[in-house]
Amino acid sequence: MLSYAAVGREHESRRGRQGLLSSGKKFVPSGFGVWPRRRAIVAAMVAVVLLPIEVSHAGWLSDVFKGSSKPAKSSRRAAAPKPAAAAKAAAPPKHHTVKLAALSPAGLNLDALKAVATRCEPAKFRIVLDVGHTPESEGAISARNIAEFVFNRRLAQRIEQKLKAEGFAETKLLVTEGKARASLVRRVAAANNLPANLFLSIHHDSVPDKLLEDWEFEGKKRHFSDRFSGYSVFVSRSNADFNTSLAFAELLAKEMKAQGLKYAEQYTQPIMGRYRHPLLNKETGVYSYDELIVLRKTKMAAVLLEAGSIINRDEELKMDSPERRNIIASGVAAAVKEFCDPRWGMLGPL
């Protein structure tokens, strides 16, 4: 999350104004027929929202990622053929009207499930974990005067460890340098030049300056707002692969809620003014943030997670704890595993 005074420098807006934010399961070899009827239907309902994800064999850029391998040559046109069901994702990006009504069994196209629910190999599934902000442009400042970048990096590192422990060996940490907008452009360019399957940007939340209050901490005047708390998940309807972005966002938000966390509800309130965002799922806290650069201009599925509020004094302490980082990392890992194979979410590890 950006400090709200810096929004105009950090984010691009088509209207010239900025928005809020810095912004092991063993696979079952048999088909749906071996499952109980109820599980088959539920699994189908989850699977139908997932699109196949293109996987390339090009190398990673060693000068961008921590611990990355040597770059390998790749062809701009080298790509695995996409199923017909994913053809729409290649069309020019446009805004979508999203209806999140529950799917009924009668609405499922069972013949299309195999084409839609393409499973991935965790060892080859490439995930970019974007550490929000930079050492030079640190984002929001917490109630106890700690930069958001510090929170973002520690949480992203824990998520990286968790994903790798779960078999996602190609998870990479993206840390960029520089000021505000220039750093955003660099991270988008880096991500788009890589054959990643998923882009996840890690941030921590704050509030607009008008909602800040004063208090004294360690003998100095600080700012806080205990009014709001919670996580939130953002996607851009202008992303080239919006449907896949939304599918992962739904899974991530569901897992955050399953970990006992609540989402931040203030983004729909009039008090947020120009920082309001449409709520796509009122049950789990998925919002759209269409003009955010790292979501709109990345060519792969992209999601931004505001893990919690660091301007809220109580929640800041929780976000600073290893226990909370472990909870969030477990939620992310569960969402990624279900994203790779919807059956994992229904049955759990075998």
Side-chain angles (χ1 to χ4, degrees):
M1 165 67 66
L2 290 175
S3 63
Y4 283 73
V7 167
R9 297 191 299 274
E10 286 282 341
H11 296 306
E12 173 186 84
S13 171
R14 289 176 179 168
R15 297 170 298 180
R17 301 181 68 182
Q18 305 303 320
L20 185 58
L21 298 174
S22 25
S23 354
K25 158 183 177 63
K26 187 167 58 176
F27 294 148
V28 179
S30 56
F32 288 99
V34 301
W35 295 355
R37 183 179 183 86
R38 181 180 178 186
R39 286 183 174 175
I41 292 175
V42 176
M45 292 168 65
V46 174
V48 76
V49 299
L50 298 181
L51 293 177
I53 299 172
E54 177 181 337
V55 179
S56 168
H57 298 288
W60 296 79
L61 296 177
S62 59
D63 61 340
V64 176
F65 289 111
K66 293 178 64 177
S68 60
S69 58
K70 293 183 179 180
K73 294 182 179 179
S74 63
S75 171
R76 292 182 180 179
R77 297 184 179 274
K82 295 184 179 180
K88 292 184 179 179
K94 60 182 180 179
H95 290 283
H96 299 254
T97 300
V98 182
K99 295 183 179 180
L100 298 174
L103 291 173
S104 64
L108 296 176
N109 182 356
L110 298 179
D111 293 334
L113 287 178
K114 290 184 179 180
V116 175
T118 301
R119 295 192 297 274
C120 76
E121 295 183 56
K124 297 180 180 180
F125 190 74
R126 288 167 171 170
I127 305 166
V128 172
L129 288 178
D130 170 43
V131 177
H133 301 288
T134 71
E136 297 83 10
S137 181
E138 297 178 315
I141 300 299
S142 78
R144 291 171 177 81
N145 203 41
I146 300 174
E148 180 192 351
F149 176 75
V150 175
F151 286 89
N152 296 345
R153 181 172 53 189
R154 287 188 300 200
L155 178 56
Q157 288 171 338
R158 182 66 191 98
I159 294 172
E160 178 192 27
Q161 294 168 357
K162 181 66 174 178
L163 286 171
K164 287 184 174 180
E166 295 289 349
F168 294 89
E170 290 297 317
T171 301
K172 302 293 182 180
L173 209 61
L174 174 59
V175 181
T176 54
E177 299 179 351
K179 295 287 186 178
R181 180 181 174 83
S183 70
L184 296 176
V185 173
R186 277 196 289 272
R187 71 185 62 198
V188 168
N192 287 341
N193 285 324
L194 298 172
N197 302 106
L198 181 65
F199 181 94
L200 177 60
S201 190
I202 304 299
H203 289 262
H204 289 74
D205 217 344
S206 185
V207 298
D209 290 346
K210 67 180 181 180
L211 299 178
L212 293 174
E213 302 176 59
D214 295 332
W215 75 310
E216 186 175 296
F217 176 71
E218 294 183 343
K220 294 184 179 180
K221 180 181 177 181
R222 308 294 185 192
H223 301 294
F224 77 97
S225 176
D226 294 339
R227 184 169 181 175
F228 304 117
S229 62
Y231 72 88
S232 47
V233 180
F234 291 83
V235 294
S236 171
R237 290 172 292 186
S238 296
N239 178 272
D241 199 356
F242 167 69
N243 288 331
T244 310
S245 299
L246 179 61
F248 178 71
E250 291 282 0
L251 292 174
L252 177 57
K254 182 194 73 172
E255 292 298 339
M256 293 289 284
K257 184 177 180 180
Q259 295 291 331
L261 305 178
K262 73 178 189 69
Y263 76 86
E265 300 179 359
Q266 69 266 23
Y267 286 109
T268 62
Q269 297 181 12
I271 194 173
M272 298 301 288
R274 67 189 180 99
Y275 303 120
R276 295 173 72 182
H277 294 285
L279 181 61
L280 302 183
N281 189 327
K282 66 180 182 180
E283 296 299 323
T284 56
V286 177
Y287 293 89
S288 68
Y289 192 164
D290 296 331
E291 296 306 316
L292 192 63
I293 292 178
V294 295
L295 298 181
R296 179 167 67 89
K297 292 193 172 183
T298 42
K299 295 179 181 178
M300 72 289 296
V303 173
L304 185 144
L305 171 65
E306 291 281 0
S309 177
I310 56 174
I311 201 66
N312 180 303
R313 292 174 294 183
D314 289 338
E315 189 158 65
E316 178 192 7
L317 295 177
K318 295 175 182 177
M319 302 310 300
D320 195 34
S321 69
E323 292 78 15
R324 178 57 63 89
R325 289 195 289 272
N326 286 337
I327 288 173
I328 295 173
S330 295
V332 173
V336 171
K337 286 190 286 186
E338 188 171 350
F339 186 67
C340 249
D341 188 344
R343 294 177 295 179
W344 190 91
M346 298 300 104
L347 302 178
L350 293 180

